[in-house]
Amino acid sequence: MEAMFDTFWENKHSFRKAPGDPNAYTTGRIGEHNVVLAHMPGMGKVASASTAASFRPSFGGVRLVLVVGICGGVPTAMGEDKEMLLGDIVVSTAIVQFDFGRQHPNGMKRKDTLEDNLSRPNQEIRAFLRKLEGVQSRNRLGENTVACLKDFCNRNEFQDWRYPGADEDVLYPPTYRHKHQQRDACNMCAQCNQEKDEVCQKALELSCADLGCDSKEQVPRNRLKQTKLNGQASTETTLVCEPEIHFGRIASGDVVVKSGLHRDAIATETETIAFEMEGAGVWDNFPTVVIKGICDYADSHKNKKWQKYAAASAAALTKAFLKEWREVDRPSQNTVAPDDMPLDRNMHFHIPRLLNPLFTGRTEVVQEMQDALNTRESLPGGQRRFVLTGLGGQGKSEICIKVANLVRQQSVTSIIRDQTLANVLRYWGIFWVDVHRPSNAEKELVSVAKKLGHPAETLADARHALANTSKSWLLILDNADDPNFDYQIYFPPGDNGAVIMTSRVTECSSYGTIGSEAIEGLDSRNSIQLLLKASNLAEQHWPSYDQHAKEVVKLLGSHTLALIQAGAYIAQGHCELGEYTATYQRQRARLLKYRPKQAKSRYGDVYTTFEASAEALECSNDEVAKDASCLLNILSMLDFGSLPSQIFEKAWKQSQDMHRLVDRHQEDVLYLDSWHVSQLPAFINVGNEEWDSFRLKEASSLLASLSFVTNTASLGLSMHPLAHSWAKDRQDDEQCKISWIRAGCLLAIAGYIHSNGDLWCLEQKRLRPHVLAYLDGVSVENAISFASTDMILKILLQCGQGLEQMFEDIRLEELLKDVFRAVGADVARPDSSLKMLPIWRLEGIVLKRLGQTQKAVDLLQQVLSIHETMLVESHANRVTSPHLLAKAYVSDEQVQESIELFQQVLQIRERTLPETHSERLASQHELAGAYLDNKQVQESIELFQQVVQTRERVLIENNQNLLASQHELAGAYLFNGQVQESIELFKQVVQIRERTLPETHSERLASQHELAGAYLDNKQVQESIELFQQVVQIRERTLPETHSKRLASQHELAGAYLFNGQVQESIELFQQVVQIQERTLPETHSERLASQHELARAYLGNRQVQESIELFERVVQIKGKVLPESHPHRLLSQHELARAYLGNRQVQESIELFQQVVQIQERTLPETHSERLASQHELAGAYLFNGQVQESIELFKQVVQIQERTLPETHSERLASQHELARAYLGNGQVHESIELFERVVQIEGKVLPESHPDRLVSQYSLAVAYEVDLQPEKAIRLLEHVVRLRRSTLVEKHPDRVASETRLVHLQTKHGKFD
């Protein structure tokens, strides 16, 4: 709670306690309120009552007591519509003593008569709480709570008080006991099956993870799911999570409730929402409100991970609560002014203008300045000085005017408590001096001295007069904005008086002796209020403008003066509030130069105030100022967000490496040359042999000191969006050209791929907005006029290759079209010029990635034809072109053509290159991949193994080419069913990449992604989900939501959820992926269709059969247009649609579609092919469902015979078909054949599957049914008892399989009288 104090009185005053008061106190201020914090000696209402009883004699003027701490929440108390989560906060509307009553033999009876109950809150508190429950007050309370909580958790000393993460928010049903869940772990816990059964002492001390509490038993909650989808699953990704505030009755007592059943019983009886231990002890002593953060659910599964965060949440709400609380003015009592307190009123008040009537917010900084200026105590460091710094136009001067007015009106005394006074300084004179120009500053200071009665003529005279006057004065030095000027010359010597200084130079904050504050934009609420006031809109209509106002506030970065200008523009009728954003995009400069007719600021408009800061750069001829101007201009061509500082060092390093590459590839427009290096800014020092960041740091520091940029070591350089716009708009056409070229060369060289640049890959999320802003800033048609067309195209195409690395395929396609248009080329007909041909090659790559594979193939075939005509066989481009075409063939399902082309490339390289050459190995690697695509698995594995063996001989273990081949070989093993070998090799690759690559590196993530898939194939579902979640969380942090790799990982995680029975999570994630792909990909794109296919499967798994059928039908229809009838993907979707029809009892449609699929597969696939057998298996099942038992048996027997010839007896598909054949036998009355086959399946599964495996239990259940039919009830009951016991330990209570087995067992036991 102390962390929420704004001021501590202990730093300035010493307060005594009343005699006999044993309490310990902290005194200070929170917002506008003087606060006493009483530190309790322990928990419980006895301790709180003792503290409260001793409190009153020492602090008789206390008006309100807040009991702040942690509590246990009742998760169902607020109803289904408002879920309660850990970290939420409860506020008492009443207190119930739940442990106050009589203990009877059959339980405790609570006293609930009127005399025995605690009184309700007084009228003032009840009215105030009702106000807080209103929409406006509640929203404001929530916003202020989150702001306080974020500020608290951001502090280094409170790192371990942060949000523990949604994964740690665990709620089990009240009946699910916290005990050893493995029956062999503890005999006592094994016998704990009823409510009154005991668990062992050790279990009470262990966590859910230690005891093996089943996560599948957890109660699902929508708020929690949304929190996880928002990337707040763990404390590593989330600082705070916005808590809900719950108002209601709170149960208070000396008993710690650790039972979900007792919790719900007490809460139902008392209508309470939480349990705590202190409120009842204070309630009748003072007007009291209890504010507690929920740290557990008052059940046996509670742990201490949430206590600190819950306490912080409650403290944050307390501060927000006090911000809303208004005290009643009343006359002070027993107060005597000190003898030295000056009682004369303020005689001189020289302020340049009235406070702007639109002044909004800034309460905290104004209060801080008042507190600092009002104290009469002398400082060890001398004169009292407070400094405000920040970007021009944020309202520093207006804050000073506000403070000056408040100080002038300040009361002689301020009551901290009834019997104690704090001295408050009263200023005889308040003077304003504009120090923007030295001549003006000296003139105004001399005028101040003369007002004091001193005949001053010079600055020295004026300072001397102020230093020696006996009267108190406040001097406001405004506009100290020159970073090269020492403003100390304006401070009068000695410790007399007080000074406020405003400056755009951050270093001036060092002048502050009583405080300093960096002024940034207003918070969202105050920004909206300021905009709406300035727009002259009626206050009663403000709620209807809220969304439009939020858009404008975000657009203007909450800049104070810009908001006033925007409001004035709207108020004058130039546009509506809802039209401002669009108008700004068209007329930015006009809007930011628009000046209000009334209540003008000193500079009039935003751009003018920025120009005032720029004078410091333009008036200086030194190197630092020139470098700073150059850097500012470069930044203006990029995005205003954080630019990684290492981009400058990377550009220097790449420029050194380019000396061996430049001018060797001048015929290729994708290669940079020495001209581009020469365009880099001078502060990079290209000519130095070692990287020297001195000039860059000096330039960025100067810009930061003027508040133009924010410079942090971890994030880099960023700008306020308006300062960014101004920096670009102020440049003339010629300067814009220079800045654009410099910025482009910086990006192009830093990410230069041809010298092994990896910046695009490593920093793609942070660089993406800069590349996009750079390309959007100038049209290609205009850009090629800035310099030689070839030089400009090289810059643009390097940025294009960056877009390719970032998978910004749509934007890359737009860029290439603009390039083709600008140079007058036909995108479909490559130019025979070798210099320009790489543009068409890049176009082919992007077409392939956009799913336009046929166009990609056509284009790359033309490129290859030109290369074959004009280049010798061994030329690098002659070999690269067929390589790219072969990849396009793979995407276009022309695998055979791809293989032939890869083989052709490989033959050339094998003739001309040694076996260890990287390019020869690369071709072998690609050919092996094509073999795998063509289902030539053995050839693929053999060739991958050859590449891996060669690379292992000549490369170190962490070489990325070696790891890439091992990665692909592991994938081939997985495709071939060698799951264990695949997992071992993937784990080896992942371990090396985790040691050598940052966690965000795409190749590290790719290997983790594939390993997670291998785990899933091996039924290691939990390991798979955890690894997929890790990959998804990182990709969501580092990649845009439309990135194909991010979507791929989300797709696979959703599939893993589906496999694990987490159907709802699967559907939600698949829907998220599908919605994005439907916005960004054409309807025929294979990845979009694949996700829709899987979402339809998830719907089917969730019994949303109609939604599943509709989506499958749409997918089948689209695939029918673009894929041949024998295409595996088309057949797969038809197969799944047939299954959905069967699930919807559209049996005839199902059988017809299965028959169609089977007929095509029987024509195109060998009889042993797994997909053909799978469809025959499903068709046989549909026959059985339709009562065509004989057809079913014949088809199942055909499938089983083939699988028995080709698959090992333990193979899951072979066992599944045998299982279904046994079911068909049973349906046909062939009971003995059915039992014989079921017993064989059960026996084999018993060897290879764990006893709780779902497939094994299904077979045992089916065998029990067969025993029942064969009149062997004893065997059936024994087997069903086994199945029921295991399903109870692994499935939730209402799971259909568990219910079915329990129901059948009860039926058999009842029928045959077989009960234990």
Side-chain angles (χ1 to χ4, degrees), residues 962-1020:
L962 170 60
L963 291 169
S965 295
Q966 291 171 327
H967 174 106
E968 294 298 330
L969 174 57
Y973 283 150
L974 187 62
F975 191 90
N976 199 40
Q978 298 172 253
V979 183
Q980 206 55 48
E981 294 90 333
S982 173
I983 288 175
E984 289 174 6
L985 189 51
F986 270 133
K987 285 171 72 173
Q988 176 185 328
V989 173
V990 166
Q991 287 168 0
I992 295 171
R993 284 181 164 166
E994 286 179 346
R995 286 202 317 268
T996 58
L997 297 176
E999 69 168 8
T1000 58
H1001 197 286
S1002 61
E1003 292 174 2
R1004 170 174 167 173
L1005 291 168
S1007 295
Q1008 291 170 325
H1009 175 107
E1010 294 298 328
L1011 175 57
Y1015 280 148
L1016 193 61
D1017 281 1
N1018 201 39
K1019 307 295 191 296
Q1020 295 174 250

Side-chain angles (χ1 to χ4, degrees), residues 898-1078:
S898 169
I899 289 173
E900 291 172 3
L901 207 47
F902 275 132
Q903 288 173 334
Q904 174 187 329
V905 172
L906 182 57
Q907 287 170 2
I908 296 171
R909 286 181 167 168
E910 286 179 339
R911 286 200 311 270
T912 58
L913 301 173
E915 70 168 350
T916 59
H917 195 283
S918 60
E919 292 180 1
R920 174 173 170 173
L921 289 167
S923 293
Q924 291 172 324
H925 176 106
E926 294 291 346
L927 177 57
Y931 282 148
L932 192 61
D933 287 330
N934 201 38
K935 309 292 191 300
Q936 295 175 250
V937 186
Q938 206 54 47
E939 292 91 331
S940 173
I941 289 175
E942 290 173 4
L943 190 51
F944 271 132
Q945 286 175 333
Q946 178 184 332
V947 174
V948 166
Q949 289 167 1
T950 305
R951 284 179 164 167
E952 284 177 342
R953 286 204 320 269
V954 298
L955 300 174
I956 59 175
E957 71 166 7
N958 63 356
N959 180 274
Q960 292 307 313
N961 289 331
L962 170 60
L963 291 169
S965 295
Q966 291 171 327
H967 174 106
E968 294 298 330
L969 174 57
Y973 283 150
L974 187 62
F975 191 90
N976 199 40
Q978 298 172 253
V979 183
Q980 206 55 48
E981 294 90 333
S982 173
I983 288 175
E984 289 174 6
L985 189 51
F986 270 133
K987 285 171 72 173
Q988 176 185 328
V989 173
V990 166
Q991 287 168 0
I992 295 171
R993 284 181 164 166
E994 286 179 346
R995 286 202 317 268
T996 58
L997 297 176
E999 69 168 8
T1000 58
H1001 197 286
S1002 61
E1003 292 174 2
R1004 170 174 167 173
L1005 291 168
S1007 295
Q1008 291 170 325
H1009 175 107
E1010 294 298 328
L1011 175 57
Y1015 280 148
L1016 193 61
D1017 281 1
N1018 201 39
K1019 307 295 191 296
Q1020 295 174 250
V1021 185
Q1022 205 55 46
E1023 293 91 332
S1024 173
I1025 287 175
E1026 289 174 3
L1027 192 51
F1028 271 133
Q1029 285 175 333
Q1030 177 183 333
V1031 172
V1032 165
Q1033 286 169 2
I1034 295 171
R1035 283 182 164 165
E1036 286 179 345
R1037 286 205 320 268
T1038 57
L1039 300 176
E1041 68 170 10
T1042 58
H1043 197 290
S1044 60
K1045 289 187 177 179
R1046 171 173 168 173
L1047 292 169
S1049 294
Q1050 291 170 326
H1051 175 110
E1052 294 299 329
L1053 175 57
Y1057 283 150
L1058 184 61
F1059 190 91
N1060 199 39
Q1062 298 173 250
V1063 184
Q1064 201 57 45
E1065 293 91 332
S1066 174
I1067 287 174
E1068 290 173 3
L1069 193 50
F1070 271 133
Q1071 285 176 333
Q1072 178 183 332
V1073 171
V1074 166
Q1075 287 169 1
I1076 294 170
Q1077 290 176 331
E1078 286 179 346

Side-chain angles (χ1 to χ4, degrees), residues 360-459:
T360 303
R362 307 297 189 192
T363 305
E364 292 182 2
V365 67
V366 168
Q367 185 64 59
E368 180 184 359
M369 293 173 70
Q370 272 189 277
D371 292 341
L373 293 169
N374 283 344
T375 179
R376 295 177 56 81
E377 296 179 7
S378 60
L379 294 175
Q383 195 172 67
R384 294 185 299 282
R385 292 194 293 270
F386 198 100
V387 181
L388 295 176
T389 61
L391 189 66
Q394 291 285 31
K396 299 183 295 295
S397 301
E398 291 299 321
I399 292 171
C400 290
I401 295 174
K402 175 73 172 178
V403 170
N405 279 286
L406 289 172
V407 168
R408 185 189 190 194
Q409 300 161 10
Q410 185 70 48
S411 302
V412 175
T413 58
S414 174
I415 305 300
I416 294 178
R417 58 190 187 204
D418 280 2
Q419 294 84 8
T420 305
L421 286 175
N423 293 340
V424 177
L425 190 60
R426 189 172 180 82
Y427 292 101
W428 178 83
I430 299 175
F431 305 102
W432 189 286
V433 177
D434 187 338
V435 298
H436 180 62
R437 300 191 186 282
S439 57
N440 183 71
E442 181 173 349
K443 178 181 175 183
E444 292 190 9
L445 277 167
V446 167
S447 174
V448 169
K450 289 180 178 178
K451 289 182 175 67
L452 294 172
H454 293 264
E457 298 297 334
T458 64
L459 176 60

